[in-house]
Every structure is written in structure tokens, then in C-alpha cells.
Amino acid sequence: MEKMEHKNTWELYQEEQLKEVDVFAQEYMGFLDHGKTERECIDEIVNKIEEEGYRELEAVIASGKQLKAGDRVYSVWMNKSIVMFQIGEGSMADGINILGAHIDSPRLDIKQNPLYEEGGFAYLDTHYYGGVKKYQWVTIPLALHGVVVKKDGTTVEINIGEKEDDPVFFVSDLLIHLAQEQLEKKANKVIEGEALDIIVGNKPIVIDKKDEKEDKTDGPAEKEAVKKGILAILQQSYDLEEEDFISAELEVVPAGKAREAGFDRSMILSYGQDDRVCAFTSLKAMLEIGRTARTACCILVDKEEIGSVGATGMQSKFFENAVAEVMNLTGEYSELNLRRCLAHSCMLSSDVSSAYDPSYASSFDKKNVAYLGGGMVFNKFTGARGKSGSNDANAEYLGHIRAIFEKENVNFQTAELGRVDLGGGGTIAYILALYGMNVIDCGVAVLNMHAPWEATSKVDVYETKRGYVAFLENANL
């Protein structure tokens, strides 16, 4: 009986492939740098796919033209989610091949009434988004990204903290000399959620002598002078008033670019790799495939980190509606054909998995864990404590995927998300499985998952893209 052995993908590549790995990694790092929010990701993706001949689905509908094999279309929903299709040779009613990832990541969100002054500092009040260790977000440089929509409908884009000459923001922490009581607290209480407010200023506004009299109509000139200084900057730089925060979506993320990690530059350290690493590799796979027998589809969605809810999450009907529109443009639409298409489809729920960390070895089952450098990762099931909430892929589908990857020489590994009774997590897999289609979780192993800075292996990123290409071109169960 052949022993199951862990294969390191670095050892499987020839010199030419190793060069391709580095080129691919550089492009991926650029994607991470320019796409730190869902909206920024969508802008980057649309620019890339339109260069490759993708057309907006709504424009095709308006033109009255039909779609044929080889055509590429996309649809963006509320500037936060996108679905792409490359029309195949066969009938969509027989099923399509789907890659599905998410482009939201854990972060701090600015509240709707956020700006206040306390103790000589101006703060923006935040509410953390997704599963975070709150203590990891203090004392690190932070950037502010997002949009503010004014009452007249104009949109102001905000991106502060990424350029070398930009200011950054931060959350303060108690100095070690006074932290005896703090250090006695449990890790989830060391930093409370309401303490994650970012410091945005410390300089009182300078009141011109000739304006001092007018200013005193609202009280002493020095009252909330730091806050007033910040409001003056926002007015001057962005033409924003304090009330404009009401209709703003501002996200606080770690400042700084993705970096190569290790003396050997084998890894990538960056914010947001869960799950933009699978979004990027899925996107690149869609752009790389040739003409396919089955229609190829890629879904990149918002809100996965908080349960895939809302109009831009996977539980929304926007994907199903887009499939219906595409089938209508290929002359196949009926409610029955739509149901058949979704039920007969194959999907890879493209999401990350936890990488083995020797520093915390007791948290993992070493026989069933992903290793950095081990290639693409498959999680037959996720969930927690008895597989609760999991999509559990069936054996026939796994056998089909194995055959495809063996044929295309894709290196992969299987894993669970931590030790039984300890680990657990969820993806969008269960939502698509509700249609009756075959779905399995797969993607890239990540170290430091959900931390401000996450680590991946360059070779795993590249091999996952290869796996996605093989799936789109060959899956047909």
C-alpha cells in the first residue's frame, strides 16, 4: 500500500516554473496593495477583465444581442461583488463550473457618528468587522480607505495612509509600566471593542484673531479645538462636513504594502490575504483558460466574514439572477433550465485554510493539516464541533477532482481547520450547496489567519491558480 506523503511544491518545479512563481507573486502583491477594500478590489478586477475582452452584462442586455460560446461577460453588484462568465460550448442547463471567493477581510469600520475629542486627542469611533483578535490592532500604523457619499449624490473617495508621505493613524495601548492589571485579563478582554478607536489628531485649531469674536458665539475658542482642527482639514481637503459621516463607508486597515518574507523570499506577508488570495487566483484562472465545454463562472463576493448576509453577500439572489440573465442571452432560459443549471454545476468554494504553525502544534492534527509549500488545500468539510454548519463534500466529487488534478499534475493536500473540538469555521460553500450542486472548499494555506498581517507561500498561490484552471477546463460531473 502506497503511503500518503506530504509533497513540497518547491521541489516539484523546474527553473522556468520557479521564475513564473515570482512573476505571479509580484502581480498578486500589487493586487493586494491596490485592493484593500471590496470597492477597491472591484475597481481592480473590472479594469483587468475589460482589458481581456469582458463586457458588462447589463450593456449586452441593453444591446439586444445574444451570447455565444467564447463570449465573456460580467456583472457588478453595488460596487462590492462581481460575477464573471465565459460561455462554454455546451448547454448551461447541463451545469457550469464555478469558482467562488470573497473579497472582504477583517478590519475596523468607522461608525456613523464617529468624530470626538477626549484628553487632547481627536478620535474616530470604530466597530470591528469579522473575527479579530482585538489586541492585534493596537499600536500598528493604520490607513483609512473608503467612500463618503454627500447629500447631493457626489462620492468622495478616501485613501489615506498608503503613500510614503501620507499620515497614518493608530490605536493606543497602555504602557507596560502601568499594565499590571491589564495583563491579568483574558486575551479577549485585554482590549475591549469600544477601545479600538483610532487617534486622528492632537493639534488644536489655530483661531485667527480677527475671527476670534465670531468663534466665541459658539463658546470658548479652545473648546474641542482638536476636533475642530480635524473638521477644518476635512473641509479643506475633501469638502466634507461632520454630518457626511452618516453616509460614509470608511474602513480602517493596516497601512503598508505587501512584502516578500524570509531570507529566501519564499513567502508573502500582507493584509487581506483571507480571502483575496483565492479571489486573485480565481480571477487569473478565468483569464487564462481557453474555450471550455462548460460555461466557466467566477463569483467574488462581499460580507463572508460576517455570515454572507446582505445584498452583496452570497445569500443574496444577485448570483442566481445573473445566471438567469446569461441563460436568457444564450436562448436557454426557463425556470426549469435555471434550476437544472444550478443543480448540475460543479463548484470550488475558493477560500483559505489554516496553515500548520509549529509554535502552536497542539492546536492541529498533524496528519490532517495544511502545510505552507504543500500546494493547493482541500477541506472536505469545515464547520465546528461535529461538523456543525458544514458543507461536507461527497466522495464521488472528491474522486472526480483527484482525477483532474492527477491528469494536470496539480500538487494538492487535504486538511481540516484545526483539531477536533477546537477548530471550526465557515465559507460560502453551504450556500451554493443548497442548489444541490457539488461543492468543496479549497484554496491557499494561510499563517496568521485573520491577523493584520497574514502569510502565504508564493508557490501555494501559484499552484492554486493552476488548480483552478484545471478545474474550469475539466470538471464535468
Side-chain angles (χ1 to χ4, degrees):
M1 181 178 177
E2 184 179 349
K3 183 181 178 181
M4 292 179 65
E5 293 183 353
H6 165 65
K7 297 178 182 177
N8 192 306
T9 312
W10 288 108
E11 299 172 350
L12 303 178
Y13 282 0
Q14 301 299 316
E15 187 64 31
E16 189 61 34
Q17 278 185 303
L18 292 174
K19 292 178 182 177
E20 292 174 5
V21 167
D22 275 324
V23 171
F24 193 76
Q26 291 302 319
E27 186 180 355
Y28 167 53
M29 290 164 67
F31 177 79
L32 290 171
D33 293 342
H34 294 103
K36 286 196 170 183
T37 70
E38 310 82 66
R39 291 174 184 267
E40 290 173 355
C41 280
I42 293 297
D43 288 343
E44 284 290 299
I45 291 163
V46 169
N47 289 338
K48 286 180 182 293
I49 64 179
E50 285 190 341
E51 289 176 359
E52 298 290 336
Y54 273 82
R55 293 176 292 162
E56 193 171 12
L57 178 60
E58 289 72 16
V60 177
I61 293 170
S63 73
K65 295 181 180 178
Q66 293 290 99
L67 293 175
K68 61 184 184 304
D71 285 346
R72 292 173 158 186
V73 292
Y74 74 92
S75 179
V76 170
W77 198 245
M78 295 187 179
N79 297 317
K80 295 181 184 178
S81 295
I82 188 170
V83 58
M84 296 165 265
F85 299 89
Q86 179 177 298
I87 308 304
E89 303 284 351
S91 169
M92 289 183 66
D94 293 331
I96 63 179
N97 292 341
I98 305 169
L99 298 173
H102 66 93
I103 52 176
D104 62 316
S105 294
R107 59 179 188 260
L108 307 180
D109 283 343
I110 300 297
K111 293 183 181 180
Q112 264 49 65
N113 184 22
L115 184 60
Y116 69 96
E117 180 177 334
E118 181 68 38
F121 293 104
Y123 291 88
L124 286 177
D125 199 358
T126 73
H127 192 133
Y128 63 91
Y129 173 97
V132 301
K133 290 181 176 179
K134 296 185 285 290
Y135 64 79
Q136 293 179 331
W137 286 80
V138 301
T139 74
I140 63 173
L142 299 170
L144 189 64
H145 293 240
V147 297
V148 181
V149 181
K150 301 171 72 174
K151 285 186 291 187
D152 63 4
T154 58
T155 298
V156 180
E157 294 187 3
I158 304 292
N159 188 329
I160 309 169
E162 301 298 351
K163 297 177 182 176
E164 286 189 10
D165 58 349
D166 274 355
V168 294
F169 313 99
F170 64 99
V171 179
S172 64
D173 192 14
L174 187 61
L175 65 162
I176 186 64
H177 309 74
L178 303 178
Q180 291 88 339
E181 292 181 358
Q182 182 194 42
L183 294 175
E184 294 295 323
K185 296 180 180 180
K186 291 184 177 181
N188 64 347
K189 295 292 185 181
V190 168
I191 302 295
E192 300 280 0
E194 286 293 355
L196 289 174
D197 295 349
I198 62 171
I199 293 176
V200 297
N202 179 236
K203 180 181 177 182
I205 191 170
V206 176
I207 305 298
D208 196 314
K209 289 294 183 184
K210 67 181 182 221
D211 295 329
E212 193 174 36
K213 184 177 180 181
E214 293 180 14
D215 187 81
K216 284 184 179 179
T217 60
D218 294 325
E222 65 272 9
K223 184 179 180 181
E224 294 195 321
V226 179
K227 175 182 174 180
K228 288 179 180 178
I230 300 304
L231 286 172
I233 292 170
L234 293 175
Q235 176 67 46
Q236 181 180 11
S237 301
Y238 301 101
D239 191 28
L240 296 178
E241 300 176 354
E242 186 172 5
E243 285 190 355
D244 291 327
F245 281 111
I246 293 172
S247 50
E249 289 182 0
L250 297 172
E251 302 178 11
V252 180
V253 300
K257 294 184 176 182
R259 301 289 297 272
E260 293 175 308
F263 283 118
D264 54 7
R265 299 177 181 266
S266 60
M267 295 168 287
I268 296 167
L269 192 69
S270 175
Y271 166 71
Q273 297 200 73
D274 177 8
D275 183 37
R276 291 176 189 133
V277 64
C278 294
F280 179 76
T281 46
S282 297
L283 166 67
K284 292 296 289 184
M286 286 290 289
L287 296 179
E288 187 173 313
I289 57 175
R291 289 173 74 104
T292 54
R294 282 163 56 112
T295 292
C297 173
C298 177
I299 319 162
L300 304 176
V301 294
D302 182 26
K303 298 291 189 292
E304 191 275 345
E305 295 293 359
I306 59 171
S308 298
V309 294
T312 55
M314 195 65 245
Q315 293 193 57
S316 167
K317 298 293 184 183
F318 85 91
F319 166 66
E320 183 180 324
N321 294 344
V323 174
E325 294 284 6
V326 170
M327 293 187 76
N328 192 51
L329 293 174
T330 60
E332 288 191 78
Y333 177 75
S334 70
E335 182 64 18
L336 182 57
N337 275 347
L338 173 62
R339 298 297 155 199
R340 286 172 174 169
C341 170
L342 295 171
H344 296 152
S345 292
C346 294
M347 181 190 179
L348 297 184
S349 176
S350 308
D351 210 336
V352 298
S353 187
S354 57
Y356 177 67
D357 188 338
S359 297
Y360 304 95
S362 63
S363 296
F364 303 94
D365 171 6
K366 293 183 182 180
K367 303 185 304 302
N368 292 283
V369 67
Y371 291 84
L372 240 60
M376 192 174 180
V377 185
F378 279 89
N379 291 82
K380 184 178 186 294
F381 52 86
T382 52
R385 289 167 292 282
K387 302 186 182 180
S388 178
S390 172
N391 166 69
D392 198 343
N394 65 45
E396 290 84 354
Y397 190 41
L398 271 165
H400 183 59
I401 298 295
R402 285 177 61 200
I404 291 171
F405 279 20
E406 182 175 335
K407 173 182 173 235
E408 300 295 336
N409 293 314
V410 175
N411 191 34
F412 71 94
Q413 52 188 325
T414 61
E416 295 182 21
L417 196 62
R419 204 180 69 224
V420 176
D421 285 337
L422 178 69
T427 68
I428 64 172
Y430 76 96
I431 302 168
L432 278 298
L434 293 173
Y435 292 112
M437 70 176 71
N438 279 300
V439 184
I440 189 170
D441 285 296
C442 73
V444 177
V446 173
L447 201 67
N448 307 341
M449 190 191 298
H450 279 218
W453 295 92
E454 300 169 316
T456 57
S457 166
K458 287 181 179 179
V459 76
D460 290 340
V461 178
Y462 184 75
E463 192 70 359
T464 297
K465 184 269 299 183
R466 292 187 66 244
Y468 290 163
V469 170
F471 167 81
L472 290 175
E473 292 182 338
N474 295 283
N476 187 12
L477 188 62

